[in-house]
Amino acid sequence: MRPSKRLERIPPYAFAEMERKIAAKRAAGVDVISLGIGDPDRPTSPLVVEAMQEAVTEPETHRYPSNRGRADFRVAVSDFYERRFDVELDPEREIIPAIGAKEAIFNLNLAFLDPGDYALAADPGYPVYTAGPWLAGAEPVLMALEPKLGFVPDLDAIDEQVARRAKLMFLNYPNNPTGAVVPAGFFERVVEFAREHEILVVHDNAYSEIVFDGYRAPSFLATPGAKEVGIEVFSLSKGYNMTGWRCAVVVGNAETVETYWRLKTNIDSGLFEAVQLAGVAALSPDGDVEVASMNELYRRRRDLVCEALRGIGVEVHPPRSTIYVWAPIPAGYESSEAYCEHVLEQVAVVLSPGAIYGPAGEGWFRISLTTPDDRLLEAVERLGKLGS
Ligand SMILES: *Cc1c(COP(=O)(O)O)cnc(C)c1O
């Protein structure tokens, strides 16, 4: 059976050719080190694991969860947002659990887009910002993140016709893949733009807890007026080493949260209640201790990687957040893919070519800091052998 036209519009997985080469090398006995994937290597903290162990023994968690989520989970999210971001959320109307941010981002497309609508998507960006609109029968319109503006899109450069047809805007700070944090004043500008053009802002907050050098990442919802024009998708995946658990929330504008819930009741049956109880533990003040020690680990790895890159002549700004180092490819390579292939061939280290995150990522590559220390050190030593 032929796949649907909707599905056929999704471009082939950009990393596929690279993966084939990696597999071939490994099959030939080469010790390939991948710095490609953004998936924390450290286990989920015992605090969270133990909360889960206890929760799964409770038969009440075994039944269908409500798609609204447990009251104690929503209250924990509300307390966390207050403590961490100084944002007030009504646990009754402004918080819904999601089965991971990916589910939420995808489903928000289905909930709000009709064929012919536009969704403004950060470029480079998380692939669901484009696949989501396509699968909803709508059109993603890329907004290039400008290095000279601090990796934000130039909102003034968005065509008036496009802005008028756009219903959603996907943004993400701290940012994957660039590691950028939001520049002062930008969220305020986004609120203004969204009001003017009646656009729903979807802020993808996957990295706010992974921060260095005293930086504190804000919630988009802390911006005056943000709750009138937008929502935030907050994920526990990266900050709490919980990628496998599928635990996130959609928070903010009550009407939007309600619409998302309405869609979800037709698609899934909610987030496993034991996972919600694990989420309560993660977001408690005790969870902060674990987050702080992870940040210390990532900071050390970041410094190690940045130093190695400088050693081979790559100009790099150490990120103040996220698990990624984003750097320009050295001169003399025709594309980010060509450079990453060269590195794989020469020293068997996998880097992510920037172009796989969107056309504006061309000319850059991404290193993920989620490789165990000894392997990361080995990878860094190999990069040093590349010469400058
Ligand atoms: C990892 C990531 C996600 C996915 O989060 P899940 O909650 O695991 O689905 C979403 N957005 C960005 C920007 C990410 O990097």
Side-chain angles (χ1 to χ4, degrees):
M1 184 67 78
R2 255 197 38 224
S4 68
K5 294 201 175 67
R6 240 175 288 120
L7 184 55
E8 286 196 322
R9 292 180 70 194
I10 309 293
Y13 182 46
F15 218 62
E17 180 56 19
M18 197 78 163
E19 273 185 351
R20 201 190 52 74
K21 288 199 174 115
I22 295 165
K25 279 203 165 296
R26 287 200 169 130
V30 179
D31 174 29
V32 178
I33 304 177
S34 176
L35 307 181
I37 292 173
D39 186 354
D41 57 303
R42 302 288 302 150
T44 309
S45 81
L47 174 78
V48 178
V49 171
E50 282 158 23
M52 178 74 172
Q53 282 170 327
E54 197 174 314
V56 288
T57 64
E58 295 293 335
E60 65 163 45
T61 66
H62 300 172
R63 309 188 62 195
Y64 280 123
S66 141
N67 242 324
R68 298 247 177 229
R70 291 176 61 102
D72 49 5
F73 178 66
R74 284 184 273 113
V75 167
V77 171
S78 158
D79 289 349
F80 172 79
Y81 258 72
E82 172 99 60
R83 178 176 97 244
R84 179 56 190 81
F85 301 120
D86 211 7
V87 167
E88 261 183 53
L89 293 173
D90 176 357
E92 294 300 316
R93 300 169 58 243
E94 297 178 331
I95 301 173
I96 293 274
I99 309 172
K102 192 177 199 174
E103 176 265 293
I105 294 163
F106 172 71
N107 277 326
L108 285 162
N109 286 283
L110 284 191
F112 290 98
L113 298 178
D114 285 311
D117 288 339
Y118 287 163
L120 297 165
D123 165 28
Y126 189 59
V128 186
Y129 308 157
T130 48
W134 273 320
L135 289 172
E139 305 289 330
V141 176
L142 299 178
M143 302 182 291
L145 304 186
E146 306 286 352
K148 63 178 187 300
L149 299 178
F151 293 103
V152 295
D154 179 359
L155 298 178
D156 297 324
I158 295 170
D159 186 272
E160 184 58 37
Q161 302 295 328
V162 168
R164 207 171 301 151
R165 266 172 75 179
K167 287 177 80 182
L168 297 179
M169 177 189 282
F170 294 108
L171 290 170
N172 155 232
Y173 296 96
N175 185 258
N176 174 14
T178 68
V181 300
V182 68
F186 179 70
F187 280 158
E188 285 77 0
R189 183 72 191 91
V190 169
V191 169
E192 204 179 298
F193 185 89
R195 264 204 196 117
E196 193 181 326
H197 299 285
E198 293 179 47
I199 290 169
L200 175 68
V201 178
V202 177
H203 184 248
D204 180 5
N205 183 359
Y207 295 97
S208 62
E209 302 318 289
I210 305 175
V211 286
F212 323 114
D213 310 334
Y215 178 70
R216 267 174 87 84
S219 160
F220 170 65
L221 299 177
T223 315
K227 228 194 252 180
E228 280 113 70
V229 299
I231 50 163
E232 183 156 270
V233 181
F234 177 83
S235 170
L236 279 71
S237 282
K238 312 298 182 6
Y240 297 87
N241 299 342
M242 290 175 70
T243 47
W245 298 58
R246 315 311 302 133
C247 188
V249 282
V250 173
V251 298
N253 185 272
E255 203 186 312
T256 305
V257 165
E258 181 71 15
T259 305
Y260 167 67
W261 170 82
R262 222 171 93 200
L263 178 84
K264 261 174 86 68
T265 55
N266 291 286
I267 292 178
D268 65 58
S269 300
L271 178 60
F272 183 21
E273 290 204 10
V275 171
Q276 295 185 48
L277 287 165
V280 170
L283 297 176
S284 72
D286 289 343
D288 296 355
V289 180
E290 185 71 16
V291 168
S293 92
M294 279 310 300
N295 284 341
E296 188 45 32
L297 175 69
Y298 288 134
R299 189 197 55 76
R300 272 196 288 110
R301 290 179 181 177
R302 174 201 69 173
D303 292 345
L304 192 72
V305 165
C306 288
E307 197 181 317
L309 290 176
R310 288 203 194 95
I312 57 168
V314 171
E315 197 191 313
V316 60
H317 298 285
R320 284 193 289 168
S321 180
T322 78
I323 48 179
Y324 309 113
V325 172
W326 182 248
I329 62 172
Y333 296 90
E334 73 179 53
S335 68
S336 56
E337 206 169 309
Y339 177 64
C340 293
E341 254 183 59
H342 168 77
V343 173
L344 178 63
E345 284 307 319
Q346 294 295 310
V347 294
V349 171
V350 180
L351 312 175
S352 302
I356 69 174
Y357 306 101
E362 186 49 90
W364 300 77
F365 66 90
R366 192 191 81 172
I367 285 182
S368 169
L369 303 174
T370 54
T371 299
D373 287 19
D374 55 332
R375 295 294 279 165
L376 188 68
L377 201 61
E378 161 77 20
V380 158
E381 277 167 12
R382 290 190 198 175
L383 289 177
K385 293 192 189 118
L386 275 171
S388 42

